[in-house]
Amino acid sequence: MKVLKFGGSTISSAENILRVKEIIESQSDQIIIVISAFSGITDQLIELSNKAAKRDDDFFRIFNDIENKHLEIVDNLFREPLKSEIRSHISMLQKELGSVINGVYLLNDMTPKILDKILSFGEILSTFIMSKIVPNGEQVDVRVLIKTNDDYGNAKVNFDLTNRLIRACFRNYRKTGIVPGFIATSETNEPTTLGRGGSDYTASIIAAALEVKRMEIWTNVDGFMTADPKKVNKAIAIDTLSYAEAMELSHFGAKVIYTPTIHPVYQKNIEIAIKNTFNPEAPGTIITKHGTGEGKSLIKGISSIDDITLITLQGAGMVGVKGISSRLFGVLAQNNINIILITQASSEYSITFAINPEDFGKALKAIEGQFETEIKTRKEINIQVEKDLSVIAIVGEKMKNTPGISAILFSSLGRNGISVIATAQGSSELNISIVIRKESLKKALNVIHEGFFLSHYKDLHLYLVGTGTIGGKLLSQIRDQQETLMREHHLKVNVIGICNAYGMLLDPDGINLSRYEEDLEKYGEKTDIDLFIQKMQFLNLRNSVYIDCTADAGIADTYGKVLSSYVSVVTANKIACSSAYNLYRDLKKTAQEKNVKFTFETNVGAGLPIISTLNDLIRSGDKIIKLEAVLSGTLNFIFNNISEEIPLSRAVKLAMECGFSEPDPRIDLSGIDVKRKLLILAREAGYEFEESDIRIIPFLPEECFMGSLEDFWKQIEKHDAEFEARREQLAGDHKKLRYIARLEQGKATIELVDVDIHHPAYPLEGSNNIILITTERYNEQPMVIRGYGAGADVTAAGVFADIIRVANV
């Protein structure tokens, strides 16, 4: 024999009821079926009762809605003459319900006892209808079987009497019993209920009394999930659980099964199966005494309670005083206050516990009364309260005696800026519970889920500022690579926010990069970088990266705020790292303290791995002796293109046309851009340099940099002949012009020099860059990095590489 329970959501329509009928008909064993009220009916009955008690005439509408919902299901399921017979019986039950409601209306009051009687109609109506659709079905009045005390709303079962009555009823039973869940009667035959979720409990009571081999809970999900799928979209079904694991997950918020359900079947070692009515072929979750240790993860699942209040009793008056705990929890028990979590300092200075927010007022009054002398007279104890909190529990039998569980948990949270307010772990090591701010719940659940490898892929959430040449190329590269990253590297890259000079757009589900320009124009808001960052902080998504593809000093000023929000920063903007040393140092320090990344590889050499290589050398214990580099792709392009046919001024214009130079080429020609790059390299090499510590030897006179851009073109043409003459002479000597940046013995210089055929920079083509790194290890032959040092494609690729490095932390 088996007991099957079907929840209200699984029988919410005629179509669903027919699906349930198919499942019932597929059973080979004799079965007893426990049925909840149809979906939403219990809530409507509560609302009906409240409105009647307040003499709100809207209760008539609700009353009629309840009747009409049941009649609609009947009309869609049955034909005459059975339909009329069923409708007539429903009308009779509705008339009985109406009499009770009318009494509530006249008395202008409703007691828990009357509410239990009203609520019982939901299950009575649903089981009557189900008994008429199930072959060989018979409605069983559970009110004569399950006997309880008179604690209305959450009655306690008299198991000795109940078990005798259930066994007597189903001895030699040959029909398919259709049993109402949730409801019972007291020993004086007054209607009672078993608490919300009590239909599961009804099934468990019957299963245990009859000692069946299996109990199945049919829901609308594939079983217990590794986390709440509404908050963690990568949650997956758990194959097996032990009774203890299932009880812990249920206690801490998993709503798949009502927590008290497990106890009766646990005592009889009856297997529980959680199955999906809408996906009956899915294996579901099997709950047994020991479960299994299968699976790679160290934990079985994560559950959470969204809203709790934390109360702390603390003070010197607690230290070494016997009976404090018993007085505290005794008075709370007397007031029917459920304790969710308890943690106590080893010094006995404080006890902290979590309760449901609706119990707070009652709990505070009870504690103040119990400890009135210690609080008001002696002032030895005080009460602290924290609200708007959530509790998360990680659960698993494999956690026992396994080191490193806490490390994974707390490092996952810390890396994403989530503070733990309280924590608790029992000696059984079956779960670790933490209390966090409510607003961080979804983020915390997702990072913990990823931290314990319960996810098949890792999410990366990007916020891009700047969609110009580099930013636009970056978005194209991300779009083209998204599928490959997901398929081959299990990395899902989501662009959540885009901001440019004309507008900004944020979508927590990810922006479609194939039409981002259209969506930005259609749905975007006016650009406000502070608001953009505020919205990013409000979304509070794990693994978030703020990307700067501008050359805007205002955007660079936001890095500190972003890093402090536990968001990594990837920037192609050189301003922050080449500004005052204190700012550079503070940004690096903040990133380190918040355990996030601050990467700027493309600040020097576009996509070339210069900064990361320098960092790797230093971290491995090597020491930088000398740096020599061509760091301006623009200037290298210019000096490579000067010829008899192409004078200096024309070569500069070519650089602009090819997109290598800044809109104002004087920035490149003045050496300011190279100066910033060398400053960044010097700082990464360990020097506390300011910009003034770097000497530029100009190769053009000062008048070229004065006045307007139009004035510049007139001035530079005056130097065409001079540079052609110099080029011609160098060509005869097999030499070339190179704009070289050097760092050696604490001195940094930048100048235009001629190099011979033996110098590594001599064959440097086009806009390529080169850097020679001389270290204690690379002394006789310096390490050489050479390649494209300018261009939107390679710079965007370098930014993309930095983003991937953040993901690989």
Side-chain angles (χ1 to χ4, degrees), residues 5-13 16-17 19-20 36-40 69 218-221 276-278:
K5 180 264 176 177
F6 291 91
S9 62
T10 67
I11 50 172
S12 57
S13 66
N16 289 348
I17 289 172
R19 184 180 283 110
V20 168
S36 299
F38 293 145
S39 182
K69 180 167 186 176
W218 288 82
T219 69
N220 58 356
V221 294
N276 190 345
T277 309
F278 307 102

PDB file of all heavy atoms in Angstrom, residues 5-13 16-17 19-20 36-40 69 218-221 276-278:
ATOM      1  N   LYS A   5      -0.141  12.095  -1.804  1.00  0.00           N
ATOM      2  CA  LYS A   5      -0.736  13.381  -1.444  1.00  0.00           C
ATOM      3  C   LYS A   5      -0.589  14.351  -2.616  1.00  0.00           C
ATOM      4  O   LYS A   5       0.495  14.475  -3.195  1.00  0.00           O
ATOM      5  CB  LYS A   5      -0.060  13.942  -0.195  1.00  0.00           C
ATOM      6  CG  LYS A   5      -0.618  15.294   0.262  1.00  0.00           C
ATOM      7  CD  LYS A   5       0.220  16.458  -0.261  1.00  0.00           C
ATOM      8  CE  LYS A   5      -0.375  17.801   0.106  1.00  0.00           C
ATOM      9  NZ  LYS A   5       0.497  18.927  -0.347  1.00  0.00           N
ATOM     10  N   PHE A   6      -1.666  15.028  -2.965  1.00  0.00           N
ATOM     11  CA  PHE A   6      -1.645  16.009  -4.054  1.00  0.00           C
ATOM     12  C   PHE A   6      -1.985  17.383  -3.486  1.00  0.00           C
ATOM     13  O   PHE A   6      -3.020  17.567  -2.835  1.00  0.00           O
ATOM     14  CB  PHE A   6      -2.638  15.636  -5.154  1.00  0.00           C
ATOM     15  CG  PHE A   6      -2.235  14.404  -5.926  1.00  0.00           C
ATOM     16  CD1 PHE A   6      -2.668  13.145  -5.523  1.00  0.00           C
ATOM     17  CD2 PHE A   6      -1.395  14.502  -7.024  1.00  0.00           C
ATOM     18  CE1 PHE A   6      -2.291  12.017  -6.214  1.00  0.00           C
ATOM     19  CE2 PHE A   6      -1.006  13.369  -7.718  1.00  0.00           C
ATOM     20  CZ  PHE A   6      -1.452  12.120  -7.314  1.00  0.00           C
ATOM     21  N   GLY A   7      -1.093  18.354  -3.738  1.00  0.00           N
ATOM     22  CA  GLY A   7      -1.279  19.714  -3.246  1.00  0.00           C
ATOM     23  C   GLY A   7      -2.272  20.490  -4.071  1.00  0.00           C
ATOM     24  O   GLY A   7      -2.627  20.107  -5.196  1.00  0.00           O
ATOM     25  N   GLY A   8      -2.708  21.618  -3.523  1.00  0.00           N
ATOM     26  CA  GLY A   8      -3.727  22.435  -4.184  1.00  0.00           C
ATOM     27  C   GLY A   8      -3.335  22.911  -5.566  1.00  0.00           C
ATOM     28  O   GLY A   8      -4.170  22.994  -6.468  1.00  0.00           O
ATOM     29  N   SER A   9      -2.031  23.237  -5.765  1.00  0.00           N
ATOM     30  CA  SER A   9      -1.604  23.736  -7.073  1.00  0.00           C
ATOM     31  C   SER A   9      -1.684  22.656  -8.147  1.00  0.00           C
ATOM     32  O   SER A   9      -1.737  22.958  -9.336  1.00  0.00           O
ATOM     33  CB  SER A   9      -0.172  24.275  -6.981  1.00  0.00           C
ATOM     34  OG  SER A   9       0.722  23.243  -6.625  1.00  0.00           O
ATOM     35  N   THR A  10      -1.686  21.393  -7.739  1.00  0.00           N
ATOM     36  CA  THR A  10      -1.725  20.299  -8.720  1.00  0.00           C
ATOM     37  C   THR A  10      -3.147  19.964  -9.145  1.00  0.00           C
ATOM     38  O   THR A  10      -3.342  19.216 -10.101  1.00  0.00           O
ATOM     39  CB  THR A  10      -1.061  19.033  -8.144  1.00  0.00           C
ATOM     40  OG1 THR A  10      -1.863  18.532  -7.066  1.00  0.00           O
ATOM     41  CG2 THR A  10       0.333  19.326  -7.635  1.00  0.00           C
ATOM     42  N   ILE A  11      -4.134  20.505  -8.446  1.00  0.00           N
ATOM     43  CA  ILE A  11      -5.544  20.232  -8.779  1.00  0.00           C
ATOM     44  C   ILE A  11      -6.314  21.546  -8.911  1.00  0.00           C
ATOM     45  O   ILE A  11      -7.464  21.647  -8.501  1.00  0.00           O
ATOM     46  CB  ILE A  11      -6.199  19.321  -7.717  1.00  0.00           C
ATOM     47  CG1 ILE A  11      -5.948  19.868  -6.298  1.00  0.00           C
ATOM     48  CG2 ILE A  11      -5.686  17.893  -7.817  1.00  0.00           C
ATOM     49  CD1 ILE A  11      -6.717  19.157  -5.211  1.00  0.00           C
ATOM     50  N   SER A  12      -5.667  22.535  -9.481  1.00  0.00           N
ATOM     51  CA  SER A  12      -6.249  23.881  -9.537  1.00  0.00           C
ATOM     52  C   SER A  12      -7.192  24.083 -10.718  1.00  0.00           C
ATOM     53  O   SER A  12      -7.821  25.132 -10.843  1.00  0.00           O
ATOM     54  CB  SER A  12      -5.131  24.919  -9.612  1.00  0.00           C
ATOM     55  OG  SER A  12      -4.301  24.673 -10.733  1.00  0.00           O
ATOM     56  N   SER A  13      -7.301  23.098 -11.615  1.00  0.00           N
ATOM     57  CA  SER A  13      -8.176  23.219 -12.782  1.00  0.00           C
ATOM     58  C   SER A  13      -8.616  21.829 -13.215  1.00  0.00           C
ATOM     59  O   SER A  13      -8.049  20.811 -12.784  1.00  0.00           O
ATOM     60  CB  SER A  13      -7.444  23.906 -13.934  1.00  0.00           C
ATOM     61  OG  SER A  13      -6.380  23.078 -14.399  1.00  0.00           O
ATOM     62  N   ASN A  16      -5.760  19.951 -14.794  1.00  0.00           N
ATOM     63  CA  ASN A  16      -4.806  19.397 -13.832  1.00  0.00           C
ATOM     64  C   ASN A  16      -5.374  18.176 -13.116  1.00  0.00           C
ATOM     65  O   ASN A  16      -4.659  17.216 -12.836  1.00  0.00           O
ATOM     66  CB  ASN A  16      -4.412  20.458 -12.812  1.00  0.00           C
ATOM     67  CG  ASN A  16      -3.534  21.543 -13.401  1.00  0.00           C
ATOM     68  OD1 ASN A  16      -3.035  21.410 -14.513  1.00  0.00           O
ATOM     69  ND2 ASN A  16      -3.354  22.621 -12.664  1.00  0.00           N
ATOM     70  N   ILE A  17      -6.673  18.221 -12.820  1.00  0.00           N
ATOM     71  CA  ILE A  17      -7.303  17.083 -12.133  1.00  0.00           C
ATOM     72  C   ILE A  17      -7.248  15.840 -13.016  1.00  0.00           C
ATOM     73  O   ILE A  17      -6.994  14.722 -12.538  1.00  0.00           O
ATOM     74  CB  ILE A  17      -8.748  17.434 -11.742  1.00  0.00           C
ATOM     75  CG1 ILE A  17      -8.736  18.469 -10.603  1.00  0.00           C
ATOM     76  CG2 ILE A  17      -9.523  16.186 -11.325  1.00  0.00           C
ATOM     77  CD1 ILE A  17     -10.093  19.043 -10.265  1.00  0.00           C
ATOM     78  N   ARG A  19      -4.940  15.215 -15.168  1.00  0.00           N
ATOM     79  CA  ARG A  19      -3.539  14.776 -15.122  1.00  0.00           C
ATOM     80  C   ARG A  19      -3.296  13.952 -13.854  1.00  0.00           C
ATOM     81  O   ARG A  19      -2.628  12.924 -13.882  1.00  0.00           O
ATOM     82  CB  ARG A  19      -2.610  15.983 -15.169  1.00  0.00           C
ATOM     83  CG  ARG A  19      -1.137  15.617 -15.220  1.00  0.00           C
ATOM     84  CD  ARG A  19      -0.242  16.842 -15.260  1.00  0.00           C
ATOM     85  NE  ARG A  19      -0.220  17.460 -16.581  1.00  0.00           N
ATOM     86  CZ  ARG A  19      -0.776  18.634 -16.881  1.00  0.00           C
ATOM     87  NH1 ARG A  19      -1.404  19.307 -15.933  1.00  0.00           N
ATOM     88  NH2 ARG A  19      -0.717  19.131 -18.080  1.00  0.00           N
ATOM     89  N   VAL A  20      -3.842  14.405 -12.733  1.00  0.00           N
ATOM     90  CA  VAL A  20      -3.720  13.672 -11.471  1.00  0.00           C
ATOM     91  C   VAL A  20      -4.404  12.309 -11.592  1.00  0.00           C
ATOM     92  O   VAL A  20      -3.890  11.289 -11.098  1.00  0.00           O
ATOM     93  CB  VAL A  20      -4.323  14.495 -10.312  1.00  0.00           C
ATOM     94  CG1 VAL A  20      -4.487  13.640  -9.060  1.00  0.00           C
ATOM     95  CG2 VAL A  20      -3.446  15.701 -10.011  1.00  0.00           C
ATOM     96  N   SER A  36      -5.427  18.305  -0.824  1.00  0.00           N
ATOM     97  CA  SER A  36      -5.553  19.655  -0.257  1.00  0.00           C
ATOM     98  C   SER A  36      -6.773  20.338  -0.853  1.00  0.00           C
ATOM     99  O   SER A  36      -7.392  19.839  -1.807  1.00  0.00           O
ATOM    100  CB  SER A  36      -4.311  20.484  -0.579  1.00  0.00           C
ATOM    101  OG  SER A  36      -3.155  19.915  -0.031  1.00  0.00           O
ATOM    102  N   ALA A  37      -7.094  21.493  -0.333  1.00  0.00           N
ATOM    103  CA  ALA A  37      -8.108  22.340  -0.966  1.00  0.00           C
ATOM    104  C   ALA A  37      -7.568  22.805  -2.312  1.00  0.00           C
ATOM    105  O   ALA A  37      -6.356  22.857  -2.532  1.00  0.00           O
ATOM    106  CB  ALA A  37      -8.423  23.536  -0.082  1.00  0.00           C
ATOM    107  N   PHE A  38      -8.469  23.127  -3.240  1.00  0.00           N
ATOM    108  CA  PHE A  38      -8.031  23.651  -4.524  1.00  0.00           C
ATOM    109  C   PHE A  38      -7.207  24.911  -4.304  1.00  0.00           C
ATOM    110  O   PHE A  38      -7.406  25.641  -3.323  1.00  0.00           O
ATOM    111  CB  PHE A  38      -9.226  23.960  -5.432  1.00  0.00           C
ATOM    112  CG  PHE A  38      -9.985  22.730  -5.877  1.00  0.00           C
ATOM    113  CD1 PHE A  38     -11.360  22.773  -6.039  1.00  0.00           C
ATOM    114  CD2 PHE A  38      -9.323  21.533  -6.142  1.00  0.00           C
ATOM    115  CE1 PHE A  38     -12.066  21.651  -6.451  1.00  0.00           C
ATOM    116  CE2 PHE A  38     -10.023  20.409  -6.551  1.00  0.00           C
ATOM    117  CZ  PHE A  38     -11.397  20.459  -6.712  1.00  0.00           C
ATOM    118  N   SER A  39      -6.306  25.174  -5.235  1.00  0.00           N
ATOM    119  CA  SER A  39      -5.363  26.296  -5.104  1.00  0.00           C
ATOM    120  C   SER A  39      -6.079  27.614  -4.827  1.00  0.00           C
ATOM    121  O   SER A  39      -7.007  27.995  -5.545  1.00  0.00           O
ATOM    122  CB  SER A  39      -4.536  26.408  -6.390  1.00  0.00           C
ATOM    123  OG  SER A  39      -3.602  27.440  -6.287  1.00  0.00           O
ATOM    124  N   GLY A  40      -5.650  28.287  -3.769  1.00  0.00           N
ATOM    125  CA  GLY A  40      -6.183  29.604  -3.442  1.00  0.00           C
ATOM    126  C   GLY A  40      -7.426  29.591  -2.578  1.00  0.00           C
ATOM    127  O   GLY A  40      -7.816  30.636  -2.025  1.00  0.00           O
ATOM    128  N   LYS A  69     -15.936  28.743  -8.376  1.00  0.00           N
ATOM    129  CA  LYS A  69     -14.712  28.040  -8.776  1.00  0.00           C
ATOM    130  C   LYS A  69     -14.926  26.535  -8.748  1.00  0.00           C
ATOM    131  O   LYS A  69     -14.521  25.819  -9.674  1.00  0.00           O
ATOM    132  CB  LYS A  69     -13.553  28.421  -7.859  1.00  0.00           C
ATOM    133  CG  LYS A  69     -12.255  27.705  -8.230  1.00  0.00           C
ATOM    134  CD  LYS A  69     -11.050  28.293  -7.550  1.00  0.00           C
ATOM    135  CE  LYS A  69      -9.776  27.630  -8.068  1.00  0.00           C
ATOM    136  NZ  LYS A  69      -8.562  28.233  -7.502  1.00  0.00           N
ATOM    137  N   TRP A 218       3.046  14.751  -4.169  1.00  0.00           N
ATOM    138  CA  TRP A 218       3.030  15.247  -5.549  1.00  0.00           C
ATOM    139  C   TRP A 218       2.815  16.760  -5.526  1.00  0.00           C
ATOM    140  O   TRP A 218       1.812  17.255  -5.020  1.00  0.00           O
ATOM    141  CB  TRP A 218       1.927  14.547  -6.351  1.00  0.00           C
ATOM    142  CG  TRP A 218       2.279  13.112  -6.651  1.00  0.00           C
ATOM    143  CD1 TRP A 218       2.127  12.042  -5.836  1.00  0.00           C
ATOM    144  CD2 TRP A 218       2.865  12.627  -7.849  1.00  0.00           C
ATOM    145  NE1 TRP A 218       2.587  10.895  -6.452  1.00  0.00           N
ATOM    146  CE2 TRP A 218       3.047  11.234  -7.698  1.00  0.00           C
ATOM    147  CE3 TRP A 218       3.266  13.220  -9.051  1.00  0.00           C
ATOM    148  CZ2 TRP A 218       3.602  10.424  -8.686  1.00  0.00           C
ATOM    149  CZ3 TRP A 218       3.818  12.426 -10.045  1.00  0.00           C
ATOM    150  CH2 TRP A 218       3.984  11.044  -9.868  1.00  0.00           C
ATOM    151  N   THR A 219       3.803  17.471  -6.070  1.00  0.00           N
ATOM    152  CA  THR A 219       3.812  18.934  -6.026  1.00  0.00           C
ATOM    153  C   THR A 219       3.898  19.478  -7.449  1.00  0.00           C
ATOM    154  O   THR A 219       3.616  18.773  -8.411  1.00  0.00           O
ATOM    155  CB  THR A 219       5.011  19.426  -5.204  1.00  0.00           C
ATOM    156  OG1 THR A 219       6.216  19.138  -5.911  1.00  0.00           O
ATOM    157  CG2 THR A 219       5.054  18.755  -3.842  1.00  0.00           C
ATOM    158  N   ASN A 220       4.349  20.732  -7.564  1.00  0.00           N
ATOM    159  CA  ASN A 220       4.531  21.347  -8.880  1.00  0.00           C
ATOM    160  C   ASN A 220       6.011  21.602  -9.178  1.00  0.00           C
ATOM    161  O   ASN A 220       6.352  22.404 -10.038  1.00  0.00           O
ATOM    162  CB  ASN A 220       3.729  22.646  -8.990  1.00  0.00           C
ATOM    163  CG  ASN A 220       4.115  23.647  -7.912  1.00  0.00           C
ATOM    164  OD1 ASN A 220       4.933  23.351  -7.041  1.00  0.00           O
ATOM    165  ND2 ASN A 220       3.524  24.831  -7.965  1.00  0.00           N
ATOM    166  N   VAL A 221       6.921  20.941  -8.430  1.00  0.00           N
ATOM    167  CA  VAL A 221       8.357  21.042  -8.676  1.00  0.00           C
ATOM    168  C   VAL A 221       8.950  19.645  -8.752  1.00  0.00           C
ATOM    169  O   VAL A 221       8.328  18.665  -8.336  1.00  0.00           O
ATOM    170  CB  VAL A 221       9.079  21.864  -7.573  1.00  0.00           C
ATOM    171  CG1 VAL A 221       8.635  23.307  -7.598  1.00  0.00           C
ATOM    172  CG2 VAL A 221       8.835  21.261  -6.199  1.00  0.00           C
ATOM    173  N   ASN A 276       6.835  15.482  -9.190  1.00  0.00           N
ATOM    174  CA  ASN A 276       6.239  16.608  -9.902  1.00  0.00           C
ATOM    175  C   ASN A 276       5.044  16.134 -10.718  1.00  0.00           C
ATOM    176  O   ASN A 276       5.194  15.349 -11.660  1.00  0.00           O
ATOM    177  CB  ASN A 276       7.276  17.258 -10.825  1.00  0.00           C
ATOM    178  CG  ASN A 276       6.792  18.570 -11.409  1.00  0.00           C
ATOM    179  OD1 ASN A 276       5.607  18.891 -11.372  1.00  0.00           O
ATOM    180  ND2 ASN A 276       7.708  19.347 -11.961  1.00  0.00           N
ATOM    181  N   THR A 277       3.848  16.611 -10.363  1.00  0.00           N
ATOM    182  CA  THR A 277       2.626  16.230 -11.069  1.00  0.00           C
ATOM    183  C   THR A 277       2.705  16.567 -12.552  1.00  0.00           C
ATOM    184  O   THR A 277       2.145  15.851 -13.396  1.00  0.00           O
ATOM    185  CB  THR A 277       1.419  16.966 -10.445  1.00  0.00           C
ATOM    186  OG1 THR A 277       1.450  16.773  -9.039  1.00  0.00           O
ATOM    187  CG2 THR A 277       0.106  16.450 -11.001  1.00  0.00           C
ATOM    188  N   PHE A 278       3.412  17.654 -12.879  1.00  0.00           N
ATOM    189  CA  PHE A 278       3.467  18.134 -14.254  1.00  0.00           C
ATOM    190  C   PHE A 278       4.677  17.574 -15.011  1.00  0.00           C
ATOM    191  O   PHE A 278       4.876  17.876 -16.174  1.00  0.00           O
ATOM    192  CB  PHE A 278       3.473  19.662 -14.260  1.00  0.00           C
ATOM    193  CG  PHE A 278       2.331  20.244 -13.479  1.00  0.00           C
ATOM    194  CD1 PHE A 278       2.525  20.754 -12.201  1.00  0.00           C
ATOM    195  CD2 PHE A 278       1.046  20.226 -14.008  1.00  0.00           C
ATOM    196  CE1 PHE A 278       1.462  21.253 -11.470  1.00  0.00           C
ATOM    197  CE2 PHE A 278      -0.025  20.733 -13.278  1.00  0.00           C
ATOM    198  CZ  PHE A 278       0.172  21.243 -12.002  1.00  0.00           C
TER     199      PHE A 278
END
